[in-house]
Amino acid sequence: MVENVAHKSTLCPSARPELEDSIVFGLIGGTVTEPRVVYLQQPLPVTDELIAKANPVTPAEIFRTAAPCAAKGCQHFDGHDCRLAMRIVEKLPAVAEELPPCSIRRDCRWWQQEGKVACMRCPQVITDNYSSSEFIRQVAIPTD
């Protein structure tokens, strides 16, 4: 039986799986050079058992997770907007031709802030990607 995970807050779709109230909303597929998120129909709560299944890699190498947005507690937040979402929309190409079937969209900070253009880029965002290009790493670096 799949537990229905409900949220009352805005979710960060790039949160670390270790954060409190994290959920898995996608699995990392694709190739080493072009990884892509495969979206789950229903998000799953992050549990110790789920984290253990990632061994020997980090959970963020195989799970795409979301957690309540930390807002002012996040290095990407400028007091009003998520600057990571802004940089992704500004600098990364769209990789989806239509909206991905995302189970967190209605609560997603990136969707609420940037709309469809963020969703079209979201499948290429991998939290722990040790094969990413220098360009992708630069997009992810927090700015002032």
Side-chain angles (χ1 to χ4, degrees):
M1 183 169 150
V2 175
E3 181 181 333
N4 189 10
V5 181
H7 290 277
K8 297 177 182 153
S9 65
T10 300
L11 295 174
C12 169
S14 187
R16 302 286 316 167
E18 302 84 20
L19 293 176
E20 187 174 343
D21 297 325
S22 290
I23 57 172
V24 174
F25 69 97
L27 301 174
I28 308 308
T31 66
V32 170
T33 57
E34 288 190 9
R36 294 292 182 262
V37 175
V38 177
Y39 296 90
L40 301 178
Q41 288 183 349
Q42 292 288 329
L44 300 171
V46 173
T47 62
D48 291 340
E49 180 182 25
L50 190 65
I51 294 293
K53 290 180 189 254
N55 197 25
V57 299
T58 69
E61 286 180 78
I62 59 172
F63 301 127
R64 183 73 184 278
T65 55
C69 176
K72 293 178 182 175
C74 177
Q75 60 189 349
H76 294 290
F77 198 72
D78 69 5
H80 184 264
D81 288 320
C82 174
R83 292 175 296 191
L84 178 59
M86 293 166 65
R87 287 191 308 277
I88 286 170
V89 165
E90 183 180 297
K91 298 180 181 206
L92 295 183
V95 294
E97 293 181 14
E98 55 188 50
L99 279 175
C102 180
S103 60
I104 67 162
R105 182 172 292 120
R106 69 186 168 121
D107 297 316
C108 178
R109 160 82 56 203
W110 295 0
W111 166 257
Q112 293 169 2
Q113 179 182 313
E114 302 291 336
K116 180 180 178 180
V117 293
C119 297
M120 305 303 268
R121 289 153 176 80
C122 185
Q124 68 192 307
V125 177
I126 312 301
T127 305
D128 285 356
N129 182 354
Y130 301 108
S131 298
S132 63
S133 68
E134 180 61 27
F135 177 70
I136 294 281
R137 286 191 292 278
Q138 290 298 316
V139 170
I141 293 174
T143 58
D144 294 332

